[in-house]
Amino acid sequence: MPVSVDALNLATIHLLPKLEDLFFDDHVFLKKVIESGVDKRQTGGEYAAFDVVTDGPGNIAKLLTGSEAYSYGRRNITKQGRVYIPTTIYAFAVEGSSLRHASGETGIANLLELYPEKANLDYRQRSCAQILTGNGAAANIDGLATLNGTKTYNPDGIPLNGMLDFDAKTAQTDTVQNLLKEGASGGVTGWYNQYGECTSFATNGKRVMRDAYNACRVRSSGYGPATLGLTDSTSFNNYYESLDDQVRYATRFKGEEGNDIDEGLMFHKLELFEDPSLDDNAASFTHGTDGTMYFINPKTFGILTLGQDSGMETKGFFEVRGPFKLEGRDAWGWEIVSSWQLYCRMLKANACLKGTAIL
């Protein structure tokens, strides 16, 4: 007996919570950021503000006799960042012939794998590639923020700078999340990212990695060291081959139900993983050399969502709408709707490196 569109829709609705988990659990960056917290904005518009604290909030008083008067000063170290939360719709169609050819529970399971699950996988891959490389314009996903400081993203029609600059602190003059970086005239003190450049990995690769790692750690203002590294395959192999067999400490990223998804290497307390999007979109990095490496402190990142009521709008993460009979086609359409944005509250606890693919 052929599968009805209503049966497929009901199965898709029951699958939705699993799809949400898979979207984030099956990519190490998204999973780590989700663990640091999601700010679900229930009211307000697409422009969302958040506090950025770049230093300590008070001052020190020196006592000599014990009778000195001192004030509870308030340093101007709290700034307000701002991002735009874009709404994206991933639309896909299920052909009537696919429904007619499917039968029973096995047929529904096959359709779920071919359509909703594949749609979820494709959506995640495009989103992650945009976040890490900034290549999402062709896929209409360039409203999500990108870490790649050599690219812009476009959430509301106005190009905005990527978060992490491949330059020294004094040369970082962009505006990121509505805050001017420290290197610019009048920039926000403490609003910059760490940076390193390898002349060749064999010459100074691990030293540059160590310098960037330590800079993230000592300037993290209590957030601790960077614990996640993402890099291209050549840079990953350069690091792997630079280690003695006895000190190659592997780490495994586990996704849904504890399944191993990716294997990385330890660098101090940082887990370094190879990410294929950095290979596939190497041309997105216009920093002038080969190889890219990110050192990420997930505690400094978060996700803002917009919406909470499925009956009135979307709930932020993964609202499935449909099925709709497509006019003039023997097909039904579904939509995956989401409204969310990545933000960072402490850039200087994170780093980007270049030149790591040069052996």
Side-chain angles (χ1 to χ4, degrees):
M1 180 179 177
V3 173
S4 70
V5 67
D6 291 334
L8 178 61
N9 187 50
L10 182 62
T12 301
I13 292 172
H14 285 297
L15 180 66
L16 181 59
K18 179 181 177 182
L19 291 180
E20 292 186 24
D21 291 339
L22 283 174
F23 188 91
F24 295 100
D25 285 356
D26 280 5
H27 192 280
V28 62
F29 175 79
L30 293 177
K31 181 177 176 64
K32 296 288 188 182
V33 171
I34 281 290
E35 289 174 351
S36 73
V38 178
D39 186 351
K40 295 185 177 181
R41 299 294 172 97
Q42 298 180 358
T43 60
E46 288 81 1
Y47 290 97
F50 56 94
D51 288 337
V52 172
V53 180
T54 58
D55 207 339
N59 291 304
I60 298 173
K62 180 181 178 181
L63 300 184
L64 297 177
T65 66
S67 61
E68 291 87 356
Y70 56 91
S71 62
Y72 292 86
R74 184 181 183 277
R75 298 169 63 197
N76 186 24
I77 46 78
T78 301
K79 304 295 182 180
Q80 193 170 78
R82 190 180 71 166
V83 297
Y84 182 93
I85 303 175
T87 296
T88 56
I89 299 176
Y90 188 104
F92 63 96
V94 178
E95 302 296 333
S97 59
S98 297
L99 295 170
R100 290 190 291 273
H101 294 160
S103 178
E105 293 182 1
T106 300
I108 291 179
N110 289 336
L111 289 175
L112 290 175
E113 181 179 353
L114 287 173
Y115 291 100
E117 291 184 10
K118 284 291 191 292
N120 182 68
L121 173 63
D122 187 35
Y123 190 16
R124 182 181 74 244
Q125 288 176 335
R126 296 189 192 194
S127 299
C128 290
Q130 164 62 20
I131 290 172
L132 297 181
T133 70
N135 77 324
N140 292 321
I141 197 73
D142 61 334
L144 289 176
T146 180
L147 301 181
N148 182 5
T150 69
K151 296 283 285 187
T152 59
Y153 64 104
N154 198 330
D156 61 348
I158 301 175
L160 301 175
N161 298 303
M163 294 185 185
L164 304 182
D165 281 327
F166 291 88
D167 281 306
K169 178 174 70 172
T170 55
Q172 295 181 31
T173 59
D174 293 338
T175 297
V176 173
Q177 298 177 159
N178 205 43
L179 297 174
L180 191 61
K181 282 195 164 183
E182 181 175 325
S185 175
V188 176
T189 301
W191 192 238
Y192 65 95
N193 60 267
Q194 310 303 330
Y195 159 76
E197 180 177 2
C198 299
T199 53
S200 74
F201 203 92
T203 302
N204 63 348
K206 285 193 287 188
R207 180 184 181 88
V208 170
M209 290 175 65
R210 187 165 56 252
D211 286 345
Y213 175 86
N214 287 333
C216 292
R217 179 179 57 82
V218 301
R219 293 173 174 84
S220 67
S221 298
Y223 284 107
T227 56
L228 173 63
L230 296 170
T231 190
D232 57 89
S233 60
T234 303
S235 300
F236 183 87
N237 287 327
N238 283 346
Y239 175 60
Y240 179 89
E241 292 167 1
S242 72
L243 302 174
D244 295 332
D245 292 344
Q246 293 83 355
V247 294
R248 286 175 180 161
Y249 296 109
T251 180
R252 289 176 173 84
F253 167 58
K254 295 181 181 295
E256 183 205 11
E257 298 176 353
N259 295 325
D260 287 348
I261 293 178
D262 205 353
E263 184 174 89
L265 293 168
M266 294 302 300
F267 180 76
H268 296 277
K269 293 184 179 181
L270 180 141
E271 297 176 284
L272 182 66
F273 293 95
E274 174 187 345
D275 195 287
S277 66
L278 297 177
D279 288 307
D280 298 341
N281 304 286
S284 295
F285 295 92
T286 57
H287 48 47
T289 188
D290 294 330
T292 298
M293 192 175 288
Y294 291 125
F295 286 179
I296 302 298
N297 187 325
K299 295 179 181 178
T300 66
F301 284 87
I303 288 176
L304 289 161
T305 68
L306 184 66
Q308 63 164 337
D309 186 352
S310 300
M312 300 297 294
E313 70 304 281
T314 69
K315 62 178 181 178
F317 283 156
F318 301 99
E319 190 70 36
V320 173
R321 302 194 299 212
F324 314 102
K325 179 65 174 69
L326 301 183
E327 185 176 356
R329 286 183 61 186
D330 178 28
W332 282 261
W334 275 265
E335 299 173 350
I336 302 175
V337 188
S338 66
S339 302
W340 61 284
Q341 184 62 284
L342 181 74
Y343 72 98
C344 181
R345 60 180 72 89
M346 179 69 71
L347 287 180
K348 63 182 179 180
N350 303 273
C352 57
L353 288 69
K354 66 180 183 180
T356 50
I358 302 172
L359 185 59

